[in-house]
Amino acid sequence: MHRARSSAGFSLDIPLIMLVASILKVYYWFGAHFSTSLLVQALLMICVHLLLLHVALTNRPPPSHLPFQHKDVSNRPYDFWQWRAPRPYWTFITYFTGVLLVLHLVMSSTSIFVPYTDLLGMVALTIEATLPLPQLLANYQRRGCKGFRPSVIVNWVIGDTFKMWFFFASSSGEVPWAFKACGIFQACCDLGLAAQYLIWGDGPVGVEGLGREKEVRSPIPPEDGWNAEKLGQAGVTGGIEMSDGQAWERPRAA
C-alpha cells in the first residue's frame, strides 16, 4: 500500500478486528494468566495493526466523482468504521481502550473479576477468528484479490501452521481450549483466501475495488471514408480525428 500509494482493495475491517481482539486479549491475560508468548503476540499485533491502519488511511483513494458510477453507500449505523476522516478511527480506539481500563480497575478487586476476564477472552478470540471474513467477502464481491498481496496470504497460512503447532504442542493448561478452537476456524478461512487467489487472481481488468465498475468506451469508427461521409466533403482532407476515445478536429488542407 505504501509503495503503490493506494489502499484500494484492502478492507479496513482487518485492523479493526485485530485491534479490538488484541486489546481484549491483553485484559484477558490478567485473569487467565495464559502463556506469556501469547500476551507478547497480542502486544505486537496492536503495534503492527496501528501502523497498518495509519498506512491504509494515509493512502486511501479519494471518493469517485465520475458520472454513472455507484457511490459508496454505508449500511452501518453512523457509518461506523467507514468514515472519510482519519480522526474518528483513532478516537474510537482510544475510547475503547480507556473504557476497558476503567472496568478493569473497578472489577479487579471483586469476585467476578475472573469470570469477567474469561468473557473478554471469549469475545476477543471470537472476533479474531472472523479476521479473514471481510476480505473473503470483498474478494467474492469483485471476483478477485486486487490490492491484497499474495505475500500476506502466504504469511497468514504459515503463521497459522506454527500457531496450531504451538497450541497443540504446549503443555496442558498453558493454552486455553478457546484459543485452539478459534485458531482452527481462522486457519480454514485463511486457506479459503489462498483458494480465492488461486482461482481468481487479481480479478477482471479495470476493477480496483468495491463499488468500482469497468470503464466502457464506444468503439472507434473506421477512419477511412467515415469522416468524409459525415461531413459531406469527400474531397477535403480535414475532418474529425478519434483516438483512445477522444475526438478533435483535424486542420483542413488549403
Side-chain angles (χ1 to χ4, degrees):
M1 287 186 292
H2 178 71
R3 292 181 179 179
R5 293 289 189 266
S6 175
S7 59
F10 177 77
S11 176
L12 288 175
D13 290 336
I14 290 178
L16 168 66
I17 291 172
M18 288 308 302
L19 285 172
V20 171
S22 299
I23 293 171
L24 287 173
K25 280 198 292 186
V26 170
Y27 287 103
Y28 174 41
W29 182 86
F30 290 96
H33 294 290
F34 50 81
S35 173
T36 307
S37 300
L38 296 177
L39 175 63
V40 174
Q41 180 199 30
L43 295 173
L44 290 176
M45 292 300 289
I46 292 174
C47 296
V48 169
H49 283 276
L50 285 175
L51 178 61
L52 180 61
L53 178 61
H54 170 71
V55 173
L57 293 176
T58 302
N59 299 284
R60 200 174 188 185
S64 175
H65 298 288
L66 296 178
F68 308 112
Q69 191 161 34
H70 297 294
K71 296 181 179 179
D72 295 332
V73 179
S74 174
N75 295 323
R76 301 181 183 181
Y78 305 103
D79 294 335
F80 177 73
W81 211 255
Q82 292 182 341
W83 307 294
R84 292 305 308 176
R87 184 175 180 178
Y89 294 89
W90 307 115
T91 302
F92 169 78
I93 294 172
T94 302
Y95 284 154
F96 178 75
T97 306
V99 169
L100 287 176
L101 177 60
V102 172
L103 291 175
H104 177 83
L105 296 176
V106 170
M107 296 188 177
S108 58
S109 58
T110 65
S111 59
I112 63 172
F113 179 67
V114 173
Y116 165 72
T117 54
D118 289 339
L119 177 62
L120 292 182
M122 291 299 300
V123 173
L125 295 172
T126 303
I127 293 175
E128 184 178 357
T130 65
L131 168 64
L133 294 183
Q135 194 65 50
L136 280 168
L137 179 60
N139 294 343
Y140 176 78
Q141 288 178 340
R142 63 175 176 264
R143 297 298 191 274
C145 303
K146 181 126 179 121
F148 197 67
R149 294 176 63 86
S151 58
V152 176
I153 302 176
V154 173
N155 288 333
W156 281 3
V157 173
I158 294 176
D160 289 335
T161 303
F162 283 100
K163 185 167 61 176
M164 289 297 98
W165 173 82
F166 174 77
F167 284 173
F168 289 96
S170 299
S171 58
S172 177
E174 188 175 6
V175 178
W177 65 267
F179 277 90
K180 301 177 182 179
C182 294
I184 292 174
F185 176 81
Q186 189 174 355
C188 293
C189 292
D190 291 342
L191 291 176
L193 280 173
Q196 284 183 331
Y197 186 81
L198 292 176
I199 295 173
W200 291 325
D202 286 340
V205 178
V207 178
E208 297 292 338
L210 291 177
R212 302 292 183 89
E213 294 180 348
K214 294 182 180 180
E215 184 179 1
V216 180
R217 292 180 177 178
S218 301
I220 300 176
E223 183 178 356
D224 297 337
W226 182 83
N227 294 332
E229 179 183 354
K230 292 295 181 183
L231 295 175
Q233 299 178 359
V236 181
T237 58
I240 299 176
E241 294 278 354
M242 296 191 66
S243 177
D244 296 332
Q246 297 181 348
W248 65 90
E249 185 176 357
R250 184 172 57 193
R252 298 176 182 270

